C-alpha cells in the first residue's frame, strides 16, 4: 500500500512533465492533440494542488529564512505563470473550448507560448528544490538503501553530463530568445527528426533542476556551517551557581 501511494506521488509529476513536453510539440501534433494534452496537464495540476493543499495552509506559519522565502516566491511565480497559461489557453482555444463565445486575440498566442517556455524553466527549478524528496520517494519505492558512495558519485556524474547537455539544448532550441520574448521564425523541423526535440527540451528542463538542487544544497550546508561557527564563537555559558 505504501509503495503504491509513493508511486502515485511520483507518477503524477512525471505525467505532468510528459504532457508539458508533448504540448510543446505543437507543430508536430497540430492543434487538437495540443489542446487535449494541455487540458489533461491542467487536470493533473489541479489534482497535484489538491494533494499538496497543506502547503498553502502553512504559508503564513512558521519562521522564514532565506531558503523558504526563495521557495515561496518561486512557487508564487509558478502559480501566476500557470494561471496566465490557463487563461490564455481558454481564450485562444480552437478545439476543446471552441464553443465558448470568446474573441480571437492573436497577441494572446504569443503570450501563451511565452508563458509556456517560462513554465519549463520554473518547473525545472521547482523540481530541483524538491529533488531530495523525489529521491527519497524513489528509494522508498525501489527499496534502495541510503549511503551508497558508488551510487552517489554515479548520480553526480550523470547530473554533470545532463547539465552539459542542457546547456547545449538551450543553444540548439534558442531558449534564451524564447524567454525574452524575441520574435523568431525558426521552428524545429519535425520532418527531419522528432525524438531529439523531446530530448533537448528534457535537457532544458533538467538544467535548472540540477543547478537549483546543488545551489540549494550548498546554501543549506553553508548556513549549517555558519551556525556551527557562531556557536563556537559564542558558546552558551552556564549560569554560575552560588555556594552557600
Amino acid at each position: 500500500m505504501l509503495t503504491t501511494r509513493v508511486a502515485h506521488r511520483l507518477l503524477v509529476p512525471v505525467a505532468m512533465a510528459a504532457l508539458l513536453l508533448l504540448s510543446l510539440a505543437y507543430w508536430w501534433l497540430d492543434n487538437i492533440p495540443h489542446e487535449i494534452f494541455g487540458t489533461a496537464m491542467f487536470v493533473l495540476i489541479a489534482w497535484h494542488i489538491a494533494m499538496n493543499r497543506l502547503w498553502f495552509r502553512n504559508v503564513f506559519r512558521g519562521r522564514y529564512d532565506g531558503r523558504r522565502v526563495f521557495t515561496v516566491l518561486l512557487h508564487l511565480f509558478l502559480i501566476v505563470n500557470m494561471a496566465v497559461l490557463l487563461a490564455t489557453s481558454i481564450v485562444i482555444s480552437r478545439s476543446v473550448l471552441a464553443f465558448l463565445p470568446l474573441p480571437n486575440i492573436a497577441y494572446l498566442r504569443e503570450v501563451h507560448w511565452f508563458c509556456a517556455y517560462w513554465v519549463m524553466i520554473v518547473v525545472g527549478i521547482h523540481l530541483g528544490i524538491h529533488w531530495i524528496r523525489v529521491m527519497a520517494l524513489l528509494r522508498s519505492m525501489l527499496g534502495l538503501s541510503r549511503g551508497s558512495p558508488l551510487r552517489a558519485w554515479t548520480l553526480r556524474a550523470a547530473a554533470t553530463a545532463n547539465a552539459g547537455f542542457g546547456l547545449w539544448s538551450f543553444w540548439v532550441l534558442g531558449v534564451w530568445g524564447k524567454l525574452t520574448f524575441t520574435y523568431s521564425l525558426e521552428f524545429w523541423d519535425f520532418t527531419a527528426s522528432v525524438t531529439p526535440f523531446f530530448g533537448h527540451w528534457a535537457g532544458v528542463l533538467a538544467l535548472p533542476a540540477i543547478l537549483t538542487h546543488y545551489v540549494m544544497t550548498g546554501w543549506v550546508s553553508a548556513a549549517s556551517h555558519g551556525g556551527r561557527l557562531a556557536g563556537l564563537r559564542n558558546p552558551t555559558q552556564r549560569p554560575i551557581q552560588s555556594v552557600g
Side-chain angles (χ1 to χ4, degrees), residues 164-186:
F165 178 73
L167 281 173
W168 180 45
S169 297
F170 254 75
W171 176 77
V172 170
L173 296 170
V175 175
W176 180 248
K178 293 175 171 61
L179 295 177
T180 54
F181 221 146
T182 303
Y183 185 77
S184 175
L185 293 175
E186 295 182 4

Side-chain angles (χ1 to χ4, degrees), residues 31 53 72 77 93 108 118 121 141 185 193 217 222 241-242:
N31 188 71
R53 59 188 178 277
V72 170
F77 182 58
S93 174
L108 288 182
W118 269 106
I121 303 302
M141 186 176 69
L185 293 175
S193 60
T217 300
Q241 297 180 351
S242 61

Side-chain angles (χ1 to χ4, degrees), residues 88-142:
T88 53
S89 298
I90 294 172
V91 175
I92 67 176
S93 174
R94 294 191 289 112
S95 300
V96 176
L97 300 175
F99 60 90
L100 294 176
L102 297 173
N104 186 10
I105 305 175
Y107 181 75
L108 288 182
R109 298 185 185 279
E110 300 295 329
V111 175
H112 181 75
W113 281 109
F114 177 69
C115 288
Y117 296 133
W118 269 106
V119 162
M120 286 290 294
I121 303 302
V122 182
V123 165
I125 299 173
H126 175 73
L127 177 61
I129 289 175
H130 298 288
W131 187 249
I132 293 177
R133 182 183 177 190
V134 171
M135 292 303 294
L137 289 172
L138 189 60
R139 282 196 303 268
S140 176
M141 186 176 69
L142 299 177

Side-chain angles (χ1 to χ4, degrees), residues 215-231:
V215 168
M216 297 299 279
T217 300
W219 190 349
V220 171
S221 178
S224 177
H225 182 65
R228 287 196 298 269
L229 287 178

